[in-house]
Amino acid sequence: MSSSVRLIRNHRLAQQVPYAYAAVADAPVRSIWVAGACPLDLDGATVAVGDYAGQAHQVMRNLVTALEGAGAALTDVVKTTVYVASSRQSDLVTAWEVYREHMGDHDVPSTLLGVTVLGYKDQLVEVEAVAVLPSAGT
């Protein structure tokens, strides 16, 4: 699948970060906003209770499924936000490493946040995304 996303790097900003600082999608494109992917199974139960990595894997699988429903893939994502219910940086890093594993070389701009609580019982990780596809008319 060909992506409409071009990742931007800038030599005047720190090069040690594991993501691009910006992404460009030239018009016309079809925009896709994905609700926060949660660590839920098909029955709506939270998986991997207490396990940041286990929940992050389920979140990313669910994100891929949500994108596929719109005809998109992870390589069509232009921006993500990763939420981790923890005040410990090590928990954020654990979730981030799983997220990066799934994103591969497509290191889109992303924000990683530690938050107090997420919406579902026992939920530790959530990832929301914005993706773009070439416009259907092009």
Side-chain angles (χ1 to χ4, degrees):
M1 179 180 298
S2 176
S3 177
S4 298
V5 180
R6 184 168 39 99
L7 300 179
I8 306 298
R9 298 169 197 313
N10 190 317
H11 70 278
R12 297 183 331 195
L13 297 169
Q15 299 300 296
Q16 296 78 10
V17 299
Y19 50 82
Y21 280 101
V24 173
D26 293 322
V29 295
R30 185 166 55 105
S31 300
I32 303 161
W33 286 269
V34 182
C38 299
L40 304 177
D41 63 17
L42 283 175
D43 296 322
T46 302
V47 304
V49 173
D51 179 0
Y52 288 91
Q55 286 198 9
H57 280 294
Q58 183 68 39
V59 162
M60 293 307 292
R61 287 189 295 268
N62 289 348
L63 177 59
V64 166
T65 301
L67 287 166
E68 287 173 347
L74 289 176
T75 54
D76 298 309
V77 170
V78 293
K79 167 75 171 86
T80 62
T81 305
V82 179
Y83 300 94
V84 181
S86 179
S87 61
R88 294 181 33 187
Q89 193 172 33
S90 62
D91 296 333
L92 276 71
V93 169
T94 295
W96 179 260
E97 288 173 347
V98 172
Y99 162 85
R100 289 293 315 131
E101 176 186 329
H102 285 266
M103 294 300 292
D105 292 336
H106 193 62
D107 56 347
V108 299
S110 186
T111 301
L112 173 64
L113 298 169
V115 298
T116 303
V117 65
L118 291 166
Y120 291 99
K121 183 178 185 333
D122 298 317
Q123 181 182 359
L124 300 172
V125 181
E126 184 166 331
V127 176
E128 66 182 15
V130 177
V132 296
L133 292 171
S135 178
T138 61

